[in-house]
Amino acid sequence: MRFDLITLFPEMFSAVRDQGVCGRAHARGLWSLETWNPRDFTTDVHRTVDDRPYGGGPGMVMLAEPLALAVEAAREARLRAGIDRPDRPVPVVLLSPAGRTHDQARAQHGAQGSGAILICGRYEGIDQRFIDRLVDEEVSLGDFVLSGGELGAMILMDSMVRLLPGVLHDAESAIQDSFNPALSGLLDSPHYTRPEVWRGQSVPESLLSGHHARIAVWRREQSLALTVARRPDLIDRARSAGALDARDEQVLDRARGARDEPARDQGPDDAV
Ligand code: 9D3
């Protein structure tokens, strides 16, 4: 898998190229990253990459031509490297607040491919004619405003690279993830490690029991309770997918009941 980044800030990408899970996978040759700076594709003495918007308004707009030359250079380099077949070019993806929102399903789909050419915008926007001619899809990270596309591109790559075969040490850590089918798309249960008592707080008794079935039941209950409280939308989705059984529904009914009842805050907690 190879990513070609069109960016005015190539140094930012050391974060995914050199650090952590993605860094290790990069060092092992499981994926690669090349950067192309539109500034290197300018022809004027000032190396101009932006200009004022037609029609007026605040901010600057990225010029189409340096971006287009950078994309074309990236495409040719990929062909020369034998990464892409000429009849199956990789998608050109623009990171943009106007794109469809990235999610785990998209990450899984992307991880099956051979990478992408990722366009990172800066300033107020990009000349629309470049988008119309050269961009295949626009991807957003969600409803908040970033200063540019670079961090979005890194999130996109991180979410795909960690799904590549052989990237994670422990196959389990991917399988146990939130949003993974093994958890039916529910949020993960809480985790604990030593010491058994930390600042007066004990590890939940179920986890110390050594009783695998009881531990599995506890984790499932925690997962369901956390998800119904924080992300009820994920419960609906899991139910529609047929991923909740009768016992899950019972746990959810109890969790709902506990939240809807008025608090009985006199006296100690009920013993279970
Ligand atoms: C005033 C209008 N702004 C749109 C919300 C202009 C604007 C703000 C920020 C235009 C571009 C940007 C830079 N953002 C990205 O490049 C970006 C982004 C984002 O801001 N939010 C969520 N996902 C993404 S992906 C790329």
Side-chain angles (χ1 to χ4, degrees), residues 176-179 183 186-192 204 207 215-227:
Q176 300 273 328
D177 267 356
S178 294
F179 310 111
L183 271 170
L186 305 177
L187 300 177
D188 201 0
S189 56
H191 300 271
Y192 297 87
L207 295 180
I215 292 167
V217 167
W218 182 86
R219 284 186 170 150
R220 185 71 178 182
E221 287 172 357
Q222 292 289 314
S223 219
L224 288 161
L226 184 67
T227 309

mmCIF file with all atom_site columns, all heavy atoms in Angstrom, residues 176-179 183 186-192 204 207 215-227:
data_model
loop_
_atom_site.group_PDB
_atom_site.id
_atom_site.type_symbol
_atom_site.label_atom_id
_atom_site.label_alt_id
_atom_site.label_comp_id
_atom_site.label_asym_id
_atom_site.label_entity_id
_atom_site.label_seq_id
_atom_site.pdbx_PDB_ins_code
_atom_site.Cartn_x
_atom_site.Cartn_y
_atom_site.Cartn_z
_atom_site.occupancy
_atom_site.B_iso_or_equiv
_atom_site.pdbx_formal_charge
_atom_site.auth_seq_id
_atom_site.auth_comp_id
_atom_site.auth_asym_id
_atom_site.auth_atom_id
_atom_site.pdbx_PDB_model_num
ATOM 1   N N   . GLN A 1 176 ? -10.760 -7.092  18.976 1.00 0.00 ? 176 GLN A N   1
ATOM 2   C CA  . GLN A 1 176 ? -11.472 -6.585  20.141 1.00 0.00 ? 176 GLN A CA  1
ATOM 3   C C   . GLN A 1 176 ? -11.894 -5.122  19.993 1.00 0.00 ? 176 GLN A C   1
ATOM 4   O O   . GLN A 1 176 ? -12.584 -4.591  20.835 1.00 0.00 ? 176 GLN A O   1
ATOM 5   C CB  . GLN A 1 176 ? -10.596 -6.710  21.391 1.00 0.00 ? 176 GLN A CB  1
ATOM 6   C CG  . GLN A 1 176 ? -10.187 -8.145  21.722 1.00 0.00 ? 176 GLN A CG  1
ATOM 7   C CD  . GLN A 1 176 ? -11.211 -8.849  22.585 1.00 0.00 ? 176 GLN A CD  1
ATOM 8   O OE1 . GLN A 1 176 ? -11.866 -8.201  23.384 1.00 0.00 ? 176 GLN A OE1 1
ATOM 9   N NE2 . GLN A 1 176 ? -11.350 -10.136 22.433 1.00 0.00 ? 176 GLN A NE2 1
ATOM 10  N N   . ASP A 1 177 ? -11.419 -4.468  18.937 1.00 0.00 ? 177 ASP A N   1
ATOM 11  C CA  . ASP A 1 177 ? -11.693 -3.039  18.765 1.00 0.00 ? 177 ASP A CA  1
ATOM 12  C C   . ASP A 1 177 ? -13.173 -2.678  18.806 1.00 0.00 ? 177 ASP A C   1
ATOM 13  O O   . ASP A 1 177 ? -14.008 -3.440  18.370 1.00 0.00 ? 177 ASP A O   1
ATOM 14  C CB  . ASP A 1 177 ? -11.206 -2.561  17.398 1.00 0.00 ? 177 ASP A CB  1
ATOM 15  C CG  . ASP A 1 177 ? -9.801  -2.025  17.478 1.00 0.00 ? 177 ASP A CG  1
ATOM 16  O OD1 . ASP A 1 177 ? -9.274  -1.961  18.584 1.00 0.00 ? 177 ASP A OD1 1
ATOM 17  O OD2 . ASP A 1 177 ? -9.256  -1.688  16.418 1.00 0.00 ? 177 ASP A OD2 1
ATOM 18  N N   . SER A 1 178 ? -13.438 -1.461  19.270 1.00 0.00 ? 178 SER A N   1
ATOM 19  C CA  . SER A 1 178 ? -14.764 -0.884  19.071 1.00 0.00 ? 178 SER A CA  1
ATOM 20  C C   . SER A 1 178 ? -15.058 -0.901  17.573 1.00 0.00 ? 178 SER A C   1
ATOM 21  O O   . SER A 1 178 ? -14.149 -0.762  16.764 1.00 0.00 ? 178 SER A O   1
ATOM 22  C CB  . SER A 1 178 ? -14.799 0.567   19.556 1.00 0.00 ? 178 SER A CB  1
ATOM 23  O OG  . SER A 1 178 ? -14.618 0.607   20.937 1.00 0.00 ? 178 SER A OG  1
ATOM 24  N N   . PHE A 1 179 ? -16.296 -1.106  17.223 1.00 0.00 ? 179 PHE A N   1
ATOM 25  C CA  . PHE A 1 179 ? -16.761 -1.100  15.834 1.00 0.00 ? 179 PHE A CA  1
ATOM 26  C C   . PHE A 1 179 ? -16.419 -2.393  15.111 1.00 0.00 ? 179 PHE A C   1
ATOM 27  O O   . PHE A 1 179 ? -16.781 -2.572  13.967 1.00 0.00 ? 179 PHE A O   1
ATOM 28  C CB  . PHE A 1 179 ? -16.235 0.097   15.033 1.00 0.00 ? 179 PHE A CB  1
ATOM 29  C CG  . PHE A 1 179 ? -16.452 1.397   15.739 1.00 0.00 ? 179 PHE A CG  1
ATOM 30  C CD1 . PHE A 1 179 ? -15.390 2.122   16.237 1.00 0.00 ? 179 PHE A CD1 1
ATOM 31  C CD2 . PHE A 1 179 ? -17.731 1.886   15.940 1.00 0.00 ? 179 PHE A CD2 1
ATOM 32  C CE1 . PHE A 1 179 ? -15.598 3.313   16.914 1.00 0.00 ? 179 PHE A CE1 1
ATOM 33  C CE2 . PHE A 1 179 ? -17.943 3.073   16.607 1.00 0.00 ? 179 PHE A CE2 1
ATOM 34  C CZ  . PHE A 1 179 ? -16.870 3.786   17.101 1.00 0.00 ? 179 PHE A CZ  1
ATOM 35  N N   . LEU A 1 183 ? -17.454 -7.427  18.471 1.00 0.00 ? 183 LEU A N   1
ATOM 36  C CA  . LEU A 1 183 ? -18.142 -6.722  19.559 1.00 0.00 ? 183 LEU A CA  1
ATOM 37  C C   . LEU A 1 183 ? -19.529 -6.269  19.105 1.00 0.00 ? 183 LEU A C   1
ATOM 38  O O   . LEU A 1 183 ? -20.168 -5.473  19.772 1.00 0.00 ? 183 LEU A O   1
ATOM 39  C CB  . LEU A 1 183 ? -17.324 -5.513  20.007 1.00 0.00 ? 183 LEU A CB  1
ATOM 40  C CG  . LEU A 1 183 ? -16.304 -5.773  21.114 1.00 0.00 ? 183 LEU A CG  1
ATOM 41  C CD1 . LEU A 1 183 ? -15.396 -4.550  21.290 1.00 0.00 ? 183 LEU A CD1 1
ATOM 42  C CD2 . LEU A 1 183 ? -16.988 -6.093  22.421 1.00 0.00 ? 183 LEU A CD2 1
ATOM 43  N N   . LEU A 1 186 ? -20.459 -2.609  19.286 1.00 0.00 ? 186 LEU A N   1
ATOM 44  C CA  . LEU A 1 186 ? -20.664 -1.918  20.562 1.00 0.00 ? 186 LEU A CA  1
ATOM 45  C C   . LEU A 1 186 ? -19.345 -1.318  21.037 1.00 0.00 ? 186 LEU A C   1
ATOM 46  O O   . LEU A 1 186 ? -18.273 -1.693  20.560 1.00 0.00 ? 186 LEU A O   1
ATOM 47  C CB  . LEU A 1 186 ? -21.179 -2.912  21.615 1.00 0.00 ? 186 LEU A CB  1
ATOM 48  C CG  . LEU A 1 186 ? -22.449 -3.693  21.257 1.00 0.00 ? 186 LEU A CG  1
ATOM 49  C CD1 . LEU A 1 186 ? -22.771 -4.688  22.366 1.00 0.00 ? 186 LEU A CD1 1
ATOM 50  C CD2 . LEU A 1 186 ? -23.607 -2.737  21.041 1.00 0.00 ? 186 LEU A CD2 1
ATOM 51  N N   . LEU A 1 187 ? -19.424 -0.401  21.989 1.00 0.00 ? 187 LEU A N   1
ATOM 52  C CA  . LEU A 1 187 ? -18.205 0.130   22.595 1.00 0.00 ? 187 LEU A CA  1
ATOM 53  C C   . LEU A 1 187 ? -17.573 -0.946  23.474 1.00 0.00 ? 187 LEU A C   1
ATOM 54  O O   . LEU A 1 187 ? -18.263 -1.824  23.997 1.00 0.00 ? 187 LEU A O   1
ATOM 55  C CB  . LEU A 1 187 ? -18.525 1.375   23.432 1.00 0.00 ? 187 LEU A CB  1
ATOM 56  C CG  . LEU A 1 187 ? -19.158 2.539   22.657 1.00 0.00 ? 187 LEU A CG  1
ATOM 57  C CD1 . LEU A 1 187 ? -19.486 3.687   23.607 1.00 0.00 ? 187 LEU A CD1 1
ATOM 58  C CD2 . LEU A 1 187 ? -18.247 3.023   21.537 1.00 0.00 ? 187 LEU A CD2 1
ATOM 59  N N   . ASP A 1 188 ? -16.259 -0.871  23.602 1.00 0.00 ? 188 ASP A N   1
ATOM 60  C CA  . ASP A 1 188 ? -15.510 -1.871  24.367 1.00 0.00 ? 188 ASP A CA  1
ATOM 61  C C   . ASP A 1 188 ? -15.746 -1.687  25.866 1.00 0.00 ? 188 ASP A C   1
ATOM 62  O O   . ASP A 1 188 ? -16.038 -0.576  26.329 1.00 0.00 ? 188 ASP A O   1
ATOM 63  C CB  . ASP A 1 188 ? -14.023 -1.714  24.046 1.00 0.00 ? 188 ASP A CB  1
ATOM 64  C CG  . ASP A 1 188 ? -13.209 -2.963  24.360 1.00 0.00 ? 188 ASP A CG  1
ATOM 65  O OD1 . ASP A 1 188 ? -13.805 -3.958  24.823 1.00 0.00 ? 188 ASP A OD1 1
ATOM 66  O OD2 . ASP A 1 188 ? -11.989 -2.932  24.119 1.00 0.00 ? 188 ASP A OD2 1
ATOM 67  N N   . SER A 1 189 ? -15.625 -2.778  26.598 1.00 0.00 ? 189 SER A N   1
ATOM 68  C CA  . SER A 1 189 ? -15.746 -2.719  28.060 1.00 0.00 ? 189 SER A CA  1
ATOM 69  C C   . SER A 1 189 ? -14.478 -2.100  28.656 1.00 0.00 ? 189 SER A C   1
ATOM 70  O O   . SER A 1 189 ? -13.444 -2.046  27.998 1.00 0.00 ? 189 SER A O   1
ATOM 71  C CB  . SER A 1 189 ? -15.943 -4.132  28.603 1.00 0.00 ? 189 SER A CB  1
ATOM 72  O OG  . SER A 1 189 ? -14.880 -4.957  28.177 1.00 0.00 ? 189 SER A OG  1
ATOM 73  N N   . PRO A 1 190 ? -14.543 -1.625  29.926 1.00 0.00 ? 190 PRO A N   1
ATOM 74  C CA  . PRO A 1 190 ? -13.358 -1.023  30.555 1.00 0.00 ? 190 PRO A CA  1
ATOM 75  C C   . PRO A 1 190 ? -12.227 -2.029  30.758 1.00 0.00 ? 190 PRO A C   1
ATOM 76  O O   . PRO A 1 190 ? -12.479 -3.233  30.838 1.00 0.00 ? 190 PRO A O   1
ATOM 77  C CB  . PRO A 1 190 ? -13.884 -0.541  31.914 1.00 0.00 ? 190 PRO A CB  1
ATOM 78  C CG  . PRO A 1 190 ? -15.351 -0.577  31.835 1.00 0.00 ? 190 PRO A CG  1
ATOM 79  C CD  . PRO A 1 190 ? -15.714 -1.580  30.794 1.00 0.00 ? 190 PRO A CD  1
ATOM 80  N N   . HIS A 1 191 ? -11.007 -1.512  30.830 1.00 0.00 ? 191 HIS A N   1
ATOM 81  C CA  . HIS A 1 191 ? -9.813  -2.344  31.027 1.00 0.00 ? 191 HIS A CA  1
ATOM 82  C C   . HIS A 1 191 ? -9.148  -2.007  32.348 1.00 0.00 ? 191 HIS A C   1
ATOM 83  O O   . HIS A 1 191 ? -9.224  -0.865  32.805 1.00 0.00 ? 191 HIS A O   1
ATOM 84  C CB  . HIS A 1 191 ? -8.829  -2.109  29.884 1.00 0.00 ? 191 HIS A CB  1
ATOM 85  C CG  . HIS A 1 191 ? -9.398  -2.443  28.542 1.00 0.00 ? 191 HIS A CG  1
ATOM 86  N ND1 . HIS A 1 191 ? -9.322  -3.691  27.991 1.00 0.00 ? 191 HIS A ND1 1
ATOM 87  C CD2 . HIS A 1 191 ? -10.103 -1.681  27.656 1.00 0.00 ? 191 HIS A CD2 1
ATOM 88  C CE1 . HIS A 1 191 ? -9.935  -3.697  26.821 1.00 0.00 ? 191 HIS A CE1 1
ATOM 89  N NE2 . HIS A 1 191 ? -10.427 -2.486  26.594 1.00 0.00 ? 191 HIS A NE2 1
ATOM 90  N N   . TYR A 1 192 ? -8.501  -2.986  32.941 1.00 0.00 ? 192 TYR A N   1
ATOM 91  C CA  . TYR A 1 192 ? -7.777  -2.807  34.210 1.00 0.00 ? 192 TYR A CA  1
ATOM 92  C C   . TYR A 1 192 ? -6.483  -3.593  34.163 1.00 0.00 ? 192 TYR A C   1
ATOM 93  O O   . TYR A 1 192 ? -6.414  -4.639  33.521 1.00 0.00 ? 192 TYR A O   1
ATOM 94  C CB  . TYR A 1 192 ? -8.619  -3.321  35.389 1.00 0.00 ? 192 TYR A CB  1
ATOM 95  C CG  . TYR A 1 192 ? -9.915  -2.560  35.572 1.00 0.00 ? 192 TYR A CG  1
ATOM 96  C CD1 . TYR A 1 192 ? -11.056 -2.945  34.866 1.00 0.00 ? 192 TYR A CD1 1
ATOM 97  C CD2 . TYR A 1 192 ? -9.992  -1.454  36.419 1.00 0.00 ? 192 TYR A CD2 1
ATOM 98  C CE1 . TYR A 1 192 ? -12.242 -2.253  35.005 1.00 0.00 ? 192 TYR A CE1 1
ATOM 99  C CE2 . TYR A 1 192 ? -11.181 -0.754  36.567 1.00 0.00 ? 192 TYR A CE2 1
ATOM 100 C CZ  . TYR A 1 192 ? -12.305 -1.155  35.856 1.00 0.00 ? 192 TYR A CZ  1
ATOM 101 O OH  . TYR A 1 192 ? -13.475 -0.464  35.994 1.00 0.00 ? 192 TYR A OH  1
ATOM 102 N N   . PRO A 1 204 ? -12.780 -4.518  39.338 1.00 0.00 ? 204 PRO A N   1
ATOM 103 C CA  . PRO A 1 204 ? -14.060 -5.241  39.476 1.00 0.00 ? 204 PRO A CA  1
ATOM 104 C C   . PRO A 1 204 ? -13.838 -6.732  39.741 1.00 0.00 ? 204 PRO A C   1
ATOM 105 O O   . PRO A 1 204 ? -13.031 -7.375  39.076 1.00 0.00 ? 204 PRO A O   1
ATOM 106 C CB  . PRO A 1 204 ? -14.745 -5.009  38.125 1.00 0.00 ? 204 PRO A CB  1
ATOM 107 C CG  . PRO A 1 204 ? -14.198 -3.710  37.658 1.00 0.00 ? 204 PRO A CG  1
ATOM 108 C CD  . PRO A 1 204 ? -12.773 -3.661  38.148 1.00 0.00 ? 204 PRO A CD  1
ATOM 109 N N   . LEU A 1 207 ? -13.501 -9.656  37.143 1.00 0.00 ? 207 LEU A N   1
ATOM 110 C CA  . LEU A 1 207 ? -12.280 -9.822  36.351 1.00 0.00 ? 207 LEU A CA  1
ATOM 111 C C   . LEU A 1 207 ? -11.213 -10.587 37.115 1.00 0.00 ? 207 LEU A C   1
ATOM 112 O O   . LEU A 1 207 ? -10.252 -11.084 36.528 1.00 0.00 ? 207 LEU A O   1
ATOM 113 C CB  . LEU A 1 207 ? -11.733 -8.447  35.937 1.00 0.00 ? 207 LEU A CB  1
ATOM 114 C CG  . LEU A 1 207 ? -12.626 -7.639  34.996 1.00 0.00 ? 207 LEU A CG  1
ATOM 115 C CD1 . LEU A 1 207 ? -11.980 -6.296  34.665 1.00 0.00 ? 207 LEU A CD1 1
ATOM 116 C CD2 . LEU A 1 207 ? -12.902 -8.413  33.706 1.00 0.00 ? 207 LEU A CD2 1
ATOM 117 N N   . ILE A 1 215 ? -16.450 -13.705 33.298 1.00 0.00 ? 215 ILE A N   1
ATOM 118 C CA  . ILE A 1 215 ? -15.740 -12.534 32.766 1.00 0.00 ? 215 ILE A CA  1
ATOM 119 C C   . ILE A 1 215 ? -16.377 -12.085 31.450 1.00 0.00 ? 215 ILE A C   1
ATOM 120 O O   . ILE A 1 215 ? -16.625 -10.891 31.240 1.00 0.00 ? 215 ILE A O   1
ATOM 121 C CB  . ILE A 1 215 ? -14.236 -12.848 32.577 1.00 0.00 ? 215 ILE A CB  1
ATOM 122 C CG1 . ILE A 1 215 ? -13.569 -13.028 33.944 1.00 0.00 ? 215 ILE A CG1 1
ATOM 123 C CG2 . ILE A 1 215 ? -13.545 -11.745 31.775 1.00 0.00 ? 215 ILE A CG2 1
ATOM 124 C CD1 . ILE A 1 215 ? -12.177 -13.640 33.880 1.00 0.00 ? 215 ILE A CD1 1
ATOM 125 N N   . ALA A 1 216 ? -16.679 -13.044 30.601 1.00 0.00 ? 216 ALA A N   1
ATOM 126 C CA  . ALA A 1 216 ? -17.293 -12.717 29.303 1.00 0.00 ? 216 ALA A CA  1
ATOM 127 C C   . ALA A 1 216 ? -18.661 -12.058 29.497 1.00 0.00 ? 216 ALA A C   1
ATOM 128 O O   . ALA A 1 216 ? -18.991 -11.080 28.813 1.00 0.00 ? 216 ALA A O   1
ATOM 129 C CB  . ALA A 1 216 ? -17.420 -13.971 28.447 1.00 0.00 ? 216 ALA A CB  1
ATOM 130 N N   . VAL A 1 217 ? -19.450 -12.568 30.447 1.00 0.00 ? 217 VAL A N   1
ATOM 131 C CA  . VAL A 1 217 ? -20.765 -11.987 30.733 1.00 0.00 ? 217 VAL A CA  1
ATOM 132 C C   . VAL A 1 217 ? -20.601 -10.567 31.253 1.00 0.00 ? 217 VAL A C   1
ATOM 133 O O   . VAL A 1 217 ? -21.292 -9.642  30.811 1.00 0.00 ? 217 VAL A O   1
ATOM 134 C CB  . VAL A 1 217 ? -21.543 -12.855 31.756 1.00 0.00 ? 217 VAL A CB  1
ATOM 135 C CG1 . VAL A 1 217 ? -22.754 -12.091 32.302 1.00 0.00 ? 217 VAL A CG1 1
ATOM 136 C CG2 . VAL A 1 217 ? -21.981 -14.165 31.118 1.00 0.00 ? 217 VAL A CG2 1
ATOM 137 N N   . TRP A 1 218 ? -19.650 -10.355 32.186 1.00 0.00 ? 218 TRP A N   1
ATOM 138 C CA  . TRP A 1 218 ? -19.416 -9.022  32.747 1.00 0.00 ? 218 TRP A CA  1
ATOM 139 C C   . TRP A 1 218 ? -19.027 -8.035  31.649 1.00 0.00 ? 218 TRP A C   1
ATOM 140 O O   . TRP A 1 218 ? -19.548 -6.937  31.563 1.00 0.00 ? 218 TRP A O   1
ATOM 141 C CB  . TRP A 1 218 ? -18.314 -9.091  33.822 1.00 0.00 ? 218 TRP A CB  1
ATOM 142 C CG  . TRP A 1 218 ? -18.050 -7.770  34.483 1.00 0.00 ? 218 TRP A CG  1
ATOM 143 C CD1 . TRP A 1 218 ? -18.702 -7.237  35.553 1.00 0.00 ? 218 TRP A CD1 1
ATOM 144 C CD2 . TRP A 1 218 ? -17.072 -6.792  34.077 1.00 0.00 ? 218 TRP A CD2 1
ATOM 145 N NE1 . TRP A 1 218 ? -18.189 -5.992  35.855 1.00 0.00 ? 218 TRP A NE1 1
ATOM 146 C CE2 . TRP A 1 218 ? -17.190 -5.693  34.965 1.00 0.00 ? 218 TRP A CE2 1
ATOM 147 C CE3 . TRP A 1 218 ? -16.108 -6.742  33.057 1.00 0.00 ? 218 TRP A CE3 1
ATOM 148 C CZ2 . TRP A 1 218 ? -16.376 -4.565  34.879 1.00 0.00 ? 218 TRP A CZ2 1
ATOM 149 C CZ3 . TRP A 1 218 ? -15.307 -5.611  32.968 1.00 0.00 ? 218 TRP A CZ3 1
ATOM 150 C CH2 . TRP A 1 218 ? -15.440 -4.531  33.866 1.00 0.00 ? 218 TRP A CH2 1
ATOM 151 N N   . ARG A 1 219 ? -18.110 -8.461  30.780 1.00 0.00 ? 219 ARG A N   1
ATOM 152 C CA  . ARG A 1 219 ? -17.644 -7.558  29.710 1.00 0.00 ? 219 ARG A CA  1
ATOM 153 C C   . ARG A 1 219 ? -18.789 -7.203  28.763 1.00 0.00 ? 219 ARG A C   1
ATOM 154 O O   . ARG A 1 219 ? -18.927 -6.052  28.350 1.00 0.00 ? 219 ARG A O   1
ATOM 155 C CB  . ARG A 1 219 ? -16.487 -8.204  28.935 1.00 0.00 ? 219 ARG A CB  1
ATOM 156 C CG  . ARG A 1 219 ? -15.202 -8.153  29.726 1.00 0.00 ? 219 ARG A CG  1
ATOM 157 C CD  . ARG A 1 219 ? -14.028 -8.659  28.928 1.00 0.00 ? 219 ARG A CD  1
ATOM 158 N NE  . ARG A 1 219 ? -12.778 -8.392  29.624 1.00 0.00 ? 219 ARG A NE  1
ATOM 159 C CZ  . ARG A 1 219 ? -11.691 -9.148  29.533 1.00 0.00 ? 219 ARG A CZ  1
ATOM 160 N NH1 . ARG A 1 219 ? -11.670 -10.202 28.744 1.00 0.00 ? 219 ARG A NH1 1
ATOM 161 N NH2 . ARG A 1 219 ? -10.602 -8.814  30.199 1.00 0.00 ? 219 ARG A NH2 1
ATOM 162 N N   . ARG A 1 220 ? -19.599 -8.194  28.431 1.00 0.00 ? 220 ARG A N   1
ATOM 163 C CA  . ARG A 1 220 ? -20.723 -7.936  27.525 1.00 0.00 ? 220 ARG A CA  1
ATOM 164 C C   . ARG A 1 220 ? -21.704 -6.941  28.174 1.00 0.00 ? 220 ARG A C   1
ATOM 165 O O   . ARG A 1 220 ? -22.182 -6.022  27.518 1.00 0.00 ? 220 ARG A O   1
ATOM 166 C CB  . ARG A 1 220 ? -21.437 -9.258  27.191 1.00 0.00 ? 220 ARG A CB  1
ATOM 167 C CG  . ARG A 1 220 ? -22.551 -9.133  26.171 1.00 0.00 ? 220 ARG A CG  1
ATOM 168 C CD  . ARG A 1 220 ? -22.019 -8.864  24.790 1.00 0.00 ? 220 ARG A CD  1
ATOM 169 N NE  . ARG A 1 220 ? -23.084 -8.790  23.786 1.00 0.00 ? 220 ARG A NE  1
ATOM 170 C CZ  . ARG A 1 220 ? -22.856 -8.600  22.492 1.00 0.00 ? 220 ARG A CZ  1
ATOM 171 N NH1 . ARG A 1 220 ? -21.635 -8.452  22.028 1.00 0.00 ? 220 ARG A NH1 1
ATOM 172 N NH2 . ARG A 1 220 ? -23.852 -8.534  21.643 1.00 0.00 ? 220 ARG A NH2 1
ATOM 173 N N   . GLU A 1 221 ? -21.974 -7.136  29.471 1.00 0.00 ? 221 GLU A N   1
ATOM 174 C CA  . GLU A 1 221 ? -22.889 -6.225  30.172 1.00 0.00 ? 221 GLU A CA  1
ATOM 175 C C   . GLU A 1 221 ? -22.339 -4.805  30.210 1.00 0.00 ? 221 GLU A C   1
ATOM 176 O O   . GLU A 1 221 ? -23.065 -3.836  29.976 1.00 0.00 ? 221 GLU A O   1
ATOM 177 C CB  . GLU A 1 221 ? -23.132 -6.719  31.609 1.00 0.00 ? 221 GLU A CB  1
ATOM 178 C CG  . GLU A 1 221 ? -24.026 -7.938  31.686 1.00 0.00 ? 221 GLU A CG  1
ATOM 179 C CD  . GLU A 1 221 ? -24.101 -8.534  33.093 1.00 0.00 ? 221 GLU A CD  1
ATOM 180 O OE1 . GLU A 1 221 ? -23.410 -8.029  33.998 1.00 0.00 ? 221 GLU A OE1 1
ATOM 181 O OE2 . GLU A 1 221 ? -24.855 -9.511  33.274 1.00 0.00 ? 221 GLU A OE2 1
ATOM 182 N N   . GLN A 1 222 ? -21.046 -4.687  30.501 1.00 0.00 ? 222 GLN A N   1
ATOM 183 C CA  . GLN A 1 222 ? -20.404 -3.373  30.545 1.00 0.00 ? 222 GLN A CA  1
ATOM 184 C C   . GLN A 1 222 ? -20.479 -2.700  29.173 1.00 0.00 ? 222 GLN A C   1
ATOM 185 O O   . GLN A 1 222 ? -20.763 -1.518  29.047 1.00 0.00 ? 222 GLN A O   1
ATOM 186 C CB  . GLN A 1 222 ? -18.935 -3.521  30.968 1.00 0.00 ? 222 GLN A CB  1
ATOM 187 C CG  . GLN A 1 222 ? -18.759 -3.968  32.403 1.00 0.00 ? 222 GLN A CG  1
ATOM 188 C CD  . GLN A 1 222 ? -19.134 -2.882  33.393 1.00 0.00 ? 222 GLN A CD  1
ATOM 189 O OE1 . GLN A 1 222 ? -18.736 -1.730  33.236 1.00 0.00 ? 222 GLN A OE1 1
ATOM 190 N NE2 . GLN A 1 222 ? -19.911 -3.232  34.393 1.00 0.00 ? 222 GLN A NE2 1
ATOM 191 N N   . SER A 1 223 ? -20.184 -3.505  28.153 1.00 0.00 ? 223 SER A N   1
ATOM 192 C CA  . SER A 1 223 ? -20.215 -3.029  26.786 1.00 0.00 ? 223 SER A CA  1
ATOM 193 C C   . SER A 1 223 ? -21.591 -2.476  26.424 1.00 0.00 ? 223 SER A C   1
ATOM 194 O O   . SER A 1 223 ? -21.725 -1.371  25.884 1.00 0.00 ? 223 SER A O   1
ATOM 195 C CB  . SER A 1 223 ? -19.909 -4.241  25.890 1.00 0.00 ? 223 SER A CB  1
ATOM 196 O OG  . SER A 1 223 ? -19.099 -3.877  24.839 1.00 0.00 ? 223 SER A OG  1
ATOM 197 N N   . LEU A 1 224 ? -22.616 -3.243  26.745 1.00 0.00 ? 224 LEU A N   1
ATOM 198 C CA  . LEU A 1 224 ? -23.987 -2.844  26.435 1.00 0.00 ? 224 LEU A CA  1
ATOM 199 C C   . LEU A 1 224 ? -24.382 -1.598  27.219 1.00 0.00 ? 224 LEU A C   1
ATOM 200 O O   . LEU A 1 224 ? -24.948 -0.651  26.659 1.00 0.00 ? 224 LEU A O   1
ATOM 201 C CB  . LEU A 1 224 ? -24.942 -4.001  26.753 1.00 0.00 ? 224 LEU A CB  1
ATOM 202 C CG  . LEU A 1 224 ? -24.874 -5.192  25.783 1.00 0.00 ? 224 LEU A CG  1
ATOM 203 C CD1 . LEU A 1 224 ? -25.468 -6.441  26.419 1.00 0.00 ? 224 LEU A CD1 1
ATOM 204 C CD2 . LEU A 1 224 ? -25.585 -4.857  24.473 1.00 0.00 ? 224 LEU A CD2 1
ATOM 205 N N   . ALA A 1 225 ? -24.059 -1.565  28.521 1.00 0.00 ? 225 ALA A N   1
ATOM 206 C CA  . ALA A 1 225 ? -24.455 -0.433  29.360 1.00 0.00 ? 225 ALA A CA  1
ATOM 207 C C   . ALA A 1 225 ? -23.761 0.849   28.903 1.00 0.00 ? 225 ALA A C   1
ATOM 208 O O   . ALA A 1 225 ? -24.379 1.914   28.828 1.00 0.00 ? 225 ALA A O   1
ATOM 209 C CB  . ALA A 1 225 ? -24.132 -0.727  30.827 1.00 0.00 ? 225 ALA A CB  1
ATOM 210 N N   . LEU A 1 226 ? -22.477 0.739   28.589 1.00 0.00 ? 226 LEU A N   1
ATOM 211 C CA  . LEU A 1 226 ? -21.731 1.914   28.137 1.00 0.00 ? 226 LEU A CA  1
ATOM 212 C C   . LEU A 1 226 ? -22.281 2.419   26.808 1.00 0.00 ? 226 LEU A C   1
ATOM 213 O O   . LEU A 1 226 ? -22.453 3.625   26.595 1.00 0.00 ? 226 LEU A O   1
ATOM 214 C CB  . LEU A 1 226 ? -20.243 1.550   27.987 1.00 0.00 ? 226 LEU A CB  1
ATOM 215 C CG  . LEU A 1 226 ? -19.301 2.702   27.613 1.00 0.00 ? 226 LEU A CG  1
ATOM 216 C CD1 . LEU A 1 226 ? -19.223 3.714   28.757 1.00 0.00 ? 226 LEU A CD1 1
ATOM 217 C CD2 . LEU A 1 226 ? -17.913 2.186   27.264 1.00 0.00 ? 226 LEU A CD2 1
ATOM 218 N N   . THR A 1 227 ? -22.577 1.478   25.909 1.00 0.00 ? 227 THR A N   1
ATOM 219 C CA  . THR A 1 227 ? -23.041 1.865   24.574 1.00 0.00 ? 227 THR A CA  1
ATOM 220 C C   . THR A 1 227 ? -24.428 2.501   24.637 1.00 0.00 ? 227 THR A C   1
ATOM 221 O O   . THR A 1 227 ? -24.674 3.518   23.980 1.00 0.00 ? 227 THR A O   1
ATOM 222 C CB  . THR A 1 227 ? -23.049 0.663   23.619 1.00 0.00 ? 227 THR A CB  1
ATOM 223 O OG1 . THR A 1 227 ? -21.773 0.008   23.682 1.00 0.00 ? 227 THR A OG1 1
ATOM 224 C CG2 . THR A 1 227 ? -23.309 1.112   22.202 1.00 0.00 ? 227 THR A CG2 1
#
